[in-house]
Amino acid sequence: SQGVRPATPVTRTGTDGAGRIGTSRDHRGTRVKTHRPAGRAVEPELFRLIGLLLGYPDPDLLEGRLQLVEAVQSLRSSPARRVLDGFVINWAQHPAAELVAQYVATFDLQKRTGLYLTYYLFGDRRQRGMAFLRLKRLYEAAGWDLSTRELPDYLPLMLEFAALAPDGLGAAVLAETRPALALRRLVIHTTAPM
């Protein structure tokens, strides 16, 4: 199985997060060697916290805002942590109703910023169903029981998987959706008030 293939030429990271060389496939399905220096591995907790912050701001999440700020500030220093630190402090200071309204306007009312990543890649075509099946199988192979109402391509769910999956599997799955993530980043950066 070649998995989800991005729409643009992107080489996927296939390392295990510990800096070991592995293999992956590029946009044409050609095997390529990949390497990521051990010192640059993404801290798994970073994925988990970003996933939480991208979730709907329900009462439980809003009640834990101060704990989220503390959790972000406890991460090791990195460029990603600095960006997330600035965001979470700003996010924690906004009134709950404003956060809900911004979430809905950003993620629910705009197709280009929706949190279901395979929709950007495939729309409602058959390939999206195949991507769902592949993700479900990956989750199950890693010991995950998907007892959630969310689709397997829901970004906060994928980020949680990236944080908990063994051997960098979650980061590799995220790398496959890089075109969708890049589009969301660009659109959100230019349109979102926060």
Side-chain angles (χ1 to χ4, degrees), residues 17 36 40-54 75 80 84 155-165 168-175 181:
R36 185 179 194 170
R40 298 194 64 207
V42 176
E43 192 171 353
E45 184 68 0
L46 180 68
F47 287 137
R48 189 183 74 78
L49 290 169
I50 293 170
L52 284 169
L53 290 165
L54 284 173
L75 296 172
L84 190 58
L155 181 55
L157 179 69
M158 293 178 77
L159 287 162
E160 184 178 353
F161 178 71
L164 301 174
L169 180 61
V173 169
L174 288 176
L181 289 169

Side-chain angles (χ1 to χ4, degrees), residues 36-154:
R36 185 179 194 170
R40 298 194 64 207
V42 176
E43 192 171 353
E45 184 68 0
L46 180 68
F47 287 137
R48 189 183 74 78
L49 290 169
I50 293 170
L52 284 169
L53 290 165
L54 284 173
Y56 182 80
D58 63 19
D60 290 337
L61 184 65
L62 294 169
E63 187 176 306
R65 284 192 271 188
L66 293 179
Q67 290 85 358
L68 283 170
V69 170
E70 291 170 359
V72 168
Q73 292 176 342
S74 73
L75 296 172
R76 72 173 180 251
S77 182
S78 71
R81 185 252 162 131
R82 285 187 287 281
V83 170
L84 190 58
D85 196 37
F87 171 81
V88 75
I89 290 169
N90 182 22
W91 177 84
Q93 294 172 351
H94 278 72
E98 187 177 322
L99 290 174
V100 170
Q102 288 177 356
Y103 180 93
V104 170
T106 303
F107 298 120
D108 291 347
L109 300 179
Q110 296 186 44
K111 284 185 182 182
R112 294 187 314 162
T113 57
L115 295 175
Y116 297 93
L117 297 185
T118 62
Y119 185 81
Y120 167 74
L121 296 171
F122 304 116
D124 283 329
R125 296 186 315 248
R126 180 179 179 270
Q127 293 96 329
R128 187 171 186 216
M130 297 303 293
F132 284 168
L133 182 61
R134 180 176 175 277
L135 284 169
K136 284 183 179 182
R137 287 182 178 162
L138 281 171
Y139 294 160
E140 289 169 2
W144 262 39
D145 176 23
L146 275 183
S147 55
T148 178
R149 295 183 327 216
E150 291 298 348
L151 296 173
D153 68 334
Y154 180 57

Side-chain angles (χ1 to χ4, degrees), residues 10-24:
V10 174
T11 300
R12 295 180 196 99
T13 303
T15 65
D16 62 359
R20 291 184 270 239
I21 295 174
T23 59
S24 186

